[in-house]
Amino acid sequence: MGISTADDEGWLRHAIRLAQRAQDQGEVPVGAIVVKDGRCIAEGWNTPIARHDPTAHAEIIALRQAGLAMQNYRLADATLYVTLEPCVMCMGAISHARIKRLVFGAFDPKRGAVCHALSLTDAAFLNHRVEWQGGVLEASCAQQLKDFFRLRR
């Protein structure tokens, strides 16, 4: 049984709500969830300012929670949903966690490490390949970021 587009959109809507939590806290609005066997096992949103932690990206927070929930740092057969194309740090963590599938909303042409600034999903030096799909609910995810930065300027 495969994952449907409706499933991906539903999970990404959950991540968008988490991104709003980040925005409400003055953080860049990015949200992420980890789904395994059809249920959300972890969630996160950007908190580097509040935590005084440059690694506190939504993806990292969600991966840490998922590792604890699974009692394993390998998250095989899990899907990570995130509202923005992951950066190089997050793609490294995603690969090391052995995430099976990555679904993201907005593309990040300047810093995205899936298919823009870098293409780490295809990097020969990594021994794990992550299936990925970008652009799911892209307009909503991109608008949330645009609105945030417009208000900050």
Side-chain angles (χ1 to χ4, degrees):
M1 174 172 18
I3 303 292
S4 75
T5 301
D7 290 338
D8 285 346
E9 289 179 1
W11 290 121
L12 206 49
R13 280 189 183 85
H14 182 130
I16 290 170
R17 288 189 295 275
L18 296 174
Q20 185 61 51
R21 288 188 190 177
Q23 182 169 339
D24 293 346
Q25 297 170 6
E27 306 272 3
V28 175
V30 177
I33 63 169
V34 177
V35 173
K36 183 160 173 43
D37 299 327
R39 66 182 187 88
C40 177
I41 62 168
E43 56 185 35
W45 56 91
N46 274 1
T47 57
I49 297 168
R51 292 179 188 230
H52 309 288
D53 179 356
T55 69
H57 288 194
E59 300 95 321
I60 301 296
I61 303 297
L63 291 172
R64 286 176 180 158
Q65 279 188 10
L68 291 171
M70 299 290 299
Q71 290 294 288
N72 194 335
Y73 73 107
R74 299 287 196 220
L75 304 173
D77 297 322
T79 300
L80 176 69
Y81 292 88
V82 62
T83 58
L84 178 65
E85 180 180 352
C87 71
V88 65
M89 174 184 69
C90 292
M91 278 307 300
I94 290 164
S95 177
H96 286 294
R98 303 298 193 262
I99 289 290
K100 179 177 183 176
R101 188 165 174 261
L102 167 67
V103 178
F104 64 89
F107 290 94
D108 187 349
K110 291 182 182 177
R111 287 168 294 284
V114 175
C115 58
H116 280 91
L118 292 171
S119 295
L120 292 182
T121 55
D122 298 324
F125 63 87
L126 294 174
N127 62 355
H128 175 69
R129 298 289 176 261
V130 179
E131 299 170 28
W132 66 275
Q133 180 178 358
V136 176
L137 298 180
E138 180 180 6
S140 298
C141 293
Q143 192 62 53
Q144 188 175 39
L145 288 158
K146 286 177 189 171
D147 291 348
F148 173 79
F149 286 112
R150 187 178 60 249
L151 291 172
R152 305 273 296 196
R153 293 187 175 112

